[in-house]
Amino acid sequence: MRYLPHTNADRRDMLDVIGVSSVDDLFVDVPPEAHLEELVDLPHAMSELEVERVLGQLADRNISARNWPFFIGGGAYFHHIPASVDHLIQRSEFLTAYTPYQPEIAQGTLHYLFEFQTQVAMITGMEVANASMYDGSTACSEAVLMAHRVTRRPKAVLSGGLHPHYRAVCETLSRFSGHTIVSADCHGVAEDVTALANLVDDETACVVVQTPNVFGSLTNLSNLAESAHEKGALLIAVIPEIISLGLVKPPGDMGADIVVGEGQSVGNSLQFGGPYLGLFATKGRFVRQMPGRLCGQTVDEEGKRGFVLTLSAREQHIRRERATSNICTNSGLCCLAFTIHMALLGEIGFKRLAAVNHARAVHLADCLAEVPDVEVLTDSFFNEFTLRVPGDGAQIIEALVGMQIFGGIPGERLFPGALACKDKIIVAATEMNSDEDCEIYADRLRSVLQVNQQERAAHG
């Protein structure tokens, strides 16, 4: 980032224009007791070489997903990104800090947004997709708000298998929009579709179901969609691992009305949790209630192909009270990375990638199931599943880290205080895990459990 320091003359000129005598006059509203008397304890100026050395030492304290065998998922997945993706997104016609929401945005930006929408609609089996969501959780909450607008009903039903972070975002927005959230219990790792359908009544706007759910279980949405529609409610399908749709039937083909998800798995690295990429698709008849913006394809007066911002019912474009949402970014560069990676994969490559992911997870599950006292709880999964371990899952994960294995997510971390999750570990595998990684994980888990057993025996 370019740094342009101000000279004393620059500051004087600006203060004169504002009409104050000093910079301190700009902070007269701050109570004196909140003022710092001296500078905070930070290092003084350094040369570029010194700064690089210090920051390099700090960065080296991190252990990245590439350093050790990595089996952590939970909504963010470690995948291979071709070098060509990063090269292409840095071309000058794409790389911009400008949020591309104005009608005058470049044809190149509109073009890739159009391609992105097309890819998302095809993958999810829906009729239309937008290009304007921050991440999976905000896309999910926007879908719930959209369902309230479509049905004019006040209640939303969330499945017990919805990722708790997604649930928290939905609950926060609903609290301020005046709507009601009803959350189903999650007694096991698989979705109880019948119990969920029983929560739907004439006040229900939507049922929100995640597949694979937070425990990795796949859910057939067809019967639930039928039950929701009989009550006049919409079915919202949440897809946290978009690569799963390379093997699994698209939610649109199972009756979903709105499909949302997280696109990080394609073209975007883990990057400490963000920025990520929300996916949002729906049926054509609901398009005017869809948040964000929609790019369309047309021809100019000479008959040449072109792209336009077709629909954008946001407060920047229409009256605030008529806006569907004030969400105002599409994580443009993340969206472009997704589009390029997906174009490189193609339909066949996308399916092959999904098949490799599933095969790795099956091999991992087979290896871990052979560890004494360990049980694989998830019967039907894509690339993530849940284990029951003898003892505290969080302590076992810590012990595995001590043996240079990122062994997954303790269930209690996602569901704090839930005793039923204390002995559960959620494990993911992708194409980045070799067969050897899976076998090493099983061996070290076996060692950790043997040590735990010996310690319990020693203490009676």
Side-chain angles (χ1 to χ4, degrees):
M1 180 179 293
R2 184 179 300 173
Y3 175 61
L4 299 174
H6 297 129
T7 65
N8 289 334
D10 292 335
R11 295 190 185 93
R12 183 71 264 162
D13 290 343
M14 288 188 283
L15 292 173
D16 289 343
V17 171
I18 297 171
V20 296
S21 60
S22 71
V23 173
D24 290 340
D25 290 345
L26 301 176
F27 302 99
V28 293
D29 295 330
V30 179
E33 59 272 21
H35 287 189
L36 289 174
E37 297 296 330
E38 56 186 15
L39 294 176
V40 295
D41 184 19
L42 288 174
H44 292 290
M46 297 181 182
S47 68
E48 182 176 332
L49 176 61
E50 291 171 320
V51 170
E52 283 184 359
R53 185 176 296 130
V54 171
L55 293 181
Q57 289 170 345
L58 290 174
D60 288 343
R61 294 167 63 183
N62 292 314
I63 305 297
S64 79
R66 294 184 181 278
N67 294 121
W68 298 345
F70 188 88
F71 298 96
I72 300 174
Y77 300 90
F78 182 38
H79 289 289
H80 171 67
I81 303 171
S84 49
V85 173
D86 279 345
H87 176 74
L88 290 172
I89 65 174
Q90 293 181 59
R91 288 179 61 94
S92 59
E93 60 266 46
F94 294 135
L95 186 60
T96 172
Y98 180 58
T99 304
Y101 59 78
Q102 301 289 8
E104 71 274 17
I105 58 179
Q107 281 292 294
T109 301
L110 286 168
H111 189 176
Y112 80 68
L113 291 179
F114 179 81
E115 300 294 345
F116 170 78
Q117 294 169 180
T118 305
Q119 291 169 345
V120 174
M122 292 178 67
I123 293 168
T124 56
M126 303 301 287
E127 294 170 339
V128 61
N130 72 10
S132 301
M133 296 288 119
Y134 298 130
D135 57 20
S137 66
T138 47
C140 181
S141 61
E142 288 284 352
V144 171
L145 294 176
M146 174 176 156
H148 290 308
R149 291 193 297 272
V150 170
T151 63
R152 299 180 184 276
R153 293 179 174 184
K155 173 181 162 185
V157 174
L158 309 186
S159 82
L162 182 65
H163 195 295
H165 296 173
Y166 286 38
R167 178 189 312 282
V169 176
C170 291
E171 290 173 345
T172 299
L173 286 190
S174 293
R175 185 165 72 249
F176 293 104
S177 65
H179 296 113
T180 302
I181 294 283
V182 175
S183 294
D185 293 327
C186 192
H187 298 293
V189 299
E191 202 68 58
D192 187 341
V193 173
T194 303
L196 194 58
N198 290 338
L199 295 175
V200 180
D201 57 26
D202 293 339
E203 295 293 301
T204 304
C206 60
V207 185
V208 183
V209 188
Q210 176 177 319
T211 182
N213 73 6
V214 70
F215 298 107
S217 292
L218 291 163
T219 303
N220 187 330
L221 304 177
S222 300
N223 291 338
L224 189 57
E226 188 175 334
S227 298
H229 294 159
E230 286 176 356
K231 293 286 187 178
L234 305 183
L235 178 69
I236 298 174
V238 180
I239 312 295
E241 170 57 295
I242 194 65
I243 292 177
S244 66
L245 297 185
L247 283 185
V248 179
K249 190 175 182 179
D253 293 353
M254 292 190 281
D257 299 286
I258 305 172
V259 180
V260 295
E262 175 55 62
Q264 172 269 324
S265 287
V266 180
N268 291 278
S269 62
L270 290 171
Q271 52 203 15
F272 292 95
Y276 282 173
L277 174 63
L279 310 178
F280 197 111
T282 187
K283 295 178 176 176
R285 66 176 183 272
F286 301 137
V287 68
R288 290 196 172 276
Q289 293 298 331
M290 186 172 64
R293 55 188 164 266
L294 188 67
C295 292
Q297 176 180 271
T298 185
V299 293
D300 63 15
E301 61 183 6
E302 298 177 351
K304 296 178 181 176
R305 187 190 190 201
F307 302 91
V308 293
L309 198 62
T310 306
L311 184 67
S312 188
R314 300 183 303 130
E315 63 187 30
Q316 289 93 337
H317 301 94
I318 62 176
R319 285 182 294 165
R320 176 185 291 267
E321 62 272 18
R322 294 181 61 83
T324 55
S325 167
N326 64 358
I327 197 163
C328 59
T329 183
N330 67 334
S331 299
L333 207 59
C334 299
C335 166
L336 176 62
F338 178 102
T339 307
I340 291 173
H341 192 183
M342 192 63 77
L344 292 171
L345 285 169
E347 184 177 350
I348 294 175
F350 185 59
K351 290 180 178 178
R352 284 179 178 168
L353 177 60
V356 171
N357 271 250
H358 182 59
R360 290 284 187 275
V362 169
H363 181 66
L364 177 63
D366 290 343
C367 292
L368 296 178
E370 292 180 359
V371 178
D373 301 323
V374 171
E375 182 182 4
V376 177
L377 298 177
T378 315
D379 294 327
S380 176
F381 58 85
F382 171 61
N383 67 353
E384 192 164 21
F385 54 87
T386 299
L387 301 177
R388 176 179 287 133
V389 292
D392 187 303
Q395 292 179 2
I396 290 172
I397 289 293
E398 284 298 316
L400 287 168
V401 169
M403 304 174 77
Q404 300 188 351
I405 293 283
F406 291 118
I409 303 174
E412 195 178 15
R413 181 175 175 183
L414 294 176
F415 299 91
L419 292 178
C421 291
K422 199 171 181 62
D423 61 352
K424 292 186 175 69
I425 295 175
I426 302 163
V427 184
T430 70
E431 76 279 4
M432 302 300 282
N433 300 116
S434 65
D435 286 350
E436 184 183 12
D437 288 341
C438 300
E439 289 148 16
I440 290 173
Y441 183 10
D443 287 342
R444 294 185 183 174
L445 178 59
R446 185 180 290 106
S447 298
V448 168
L449 298 182
Q450 285 175 347
V451 170
N452 289 352
Q453 188 178 30
Q454 291 167 359
E455 289 179 347
R456 285 196 298 270
H459 291 85

